[in-house]
Amino acid sequence: MRLADREGLSRNEILSALPETDLDRLWSHLELVRIDVGDHLANPSRPVEYIYFIEKGFASIMVGSAKSQMEVALIGREGMVGLPVVLGAAYAHHHCYAQVSGVAQRMTAQNLRFAMEQIPALKRQALLYAHAYNAQLAHAAFVNGRCSVGERLAGWLLMAQDRLDDNEIPLTQEFFAAMLGVRRATVTVALQKLTEQKMIEHRRALVIILNRRKLIATAKEAYAG
């Protein structure tokens, strides 16, 4: 569905950073779409067709094979799915799946290329996000190599909360296992420890953050803030 008006400004940080006149020029190319859990937003086997400026919810960049994948980056309202187009490429390198349902402003890759030529502020904001995204990838590599499973889980929960503005994170243990690249039993133990220390409440397919301050202390270097 296409937005009927502009009464509610975009919650996406790339779009909201644009001058109003630039956003007005871009608006006719944007379509507000729902993203559901499991939606495939990027596929390395096909050219990037759409760009998604996420407004609500978030998606995960996954690396690995069809049988074994691991998350390396989160994309929420601070960013966009489709960075290869910003950098002049046609194909994504990795899969991107919606992990929490929400909405996004969608536009075609072709329209984004044209818009960046016509709207310098859009290109500048997209490149600034590309820089932040690369920093996230570098931090993820550090965390995966140096931090314990418990620290990584705590850090990930904090990053998810940052993007959702909500204490409730609706995700299954299966996803946590894939995200951390560990067995489900290992995730169960890590969740139990956080629950016992009253940092979180864990229900089926739902984690509720109870004490963010303690969670930050537990995450240590796994959470960049």
Side-chain angles (χ1 to χ4, degrees), residues 29-33 50-53 104-108:
H29 298 296
L30 294 169
E31 179 185 15
L32 186 65
V33 297
Y50 290 105
I51 308 301
Y52 295 85
F53 296 95
Q105 298 286 355
R106 186 178 76 173
M107 71 186 305
T108 66

Side-chain angles (χ1 to χ4, degrees), residues 9-18 53-56 76-80 121-122 125-126 128-129 132 162-163 165:
L9 293 178
S10 175
R11 295 183 74 242
N12 179 270
E13 294 179 12
I14 295 174
L15 297 180
S16 64
L18 298 177
F53 296 95
I54 295 178
E55 300 265 0
K56 182 180 179 182
R77 69 175 186 271
E78 81 288 350
M80 60 188 285
L122 173 62
Q125 290 302 322
L128 284 172
Y129 172 65
D162 290 343
R163 288 160 174 80
D165 289 329

Side-chain angles (χ1 to χ4, degrees), residues 89-187:
Y91 288 81
H93 288 294
H94 308 296
H95 293 277
C96 180
Y97 301 97
Q99 298 293 359
V100 173
S101 297
V103 293
Q105 298 286 355
R106 186 178 76 173
M107 71 186 305
T108 66
Q110 181 178 354
N111 281 338
L112 178 69
R113 293 185 185 99
F114 176 78
M116 288 194 301
E117 292 178 358
Q118 302 298 316
I119 306 175
L122 173 62
K123 184 175 183 179
R124 181 169 61 253
Q125 290 302 322
L127 289 174
L128 284 172
Y129 172 65
H131 176 71
Y133 176 84
N134 285 335
Q136 183 183 172
L137 291 180
H139 184 253
F142 170 80
V143 168
N144 291 338
R146 295 286 297 274
C147 298
S148 70
V149 171
E151 291 167 352
R152 290 164 58 201
L153 177 59
W156 189 93
L157 289 170
L158 290 163
M159 290 189 291
Q161 186 186 35
D162 290 343
R163 288 160 174 80
L164 294 177
D165 289 329
D166 196 331
N167 290 337
E168 297 189 358
I169 303 171
L171 289 169
T172 65
Q173 287 194 38
E174 287 83 358
F175 168 75
F176 284 123
M179 179 270 295
L180 294 170
V182 298
R183 295 182 298 113
R184 179 175 172 177
T186 303
V187 173

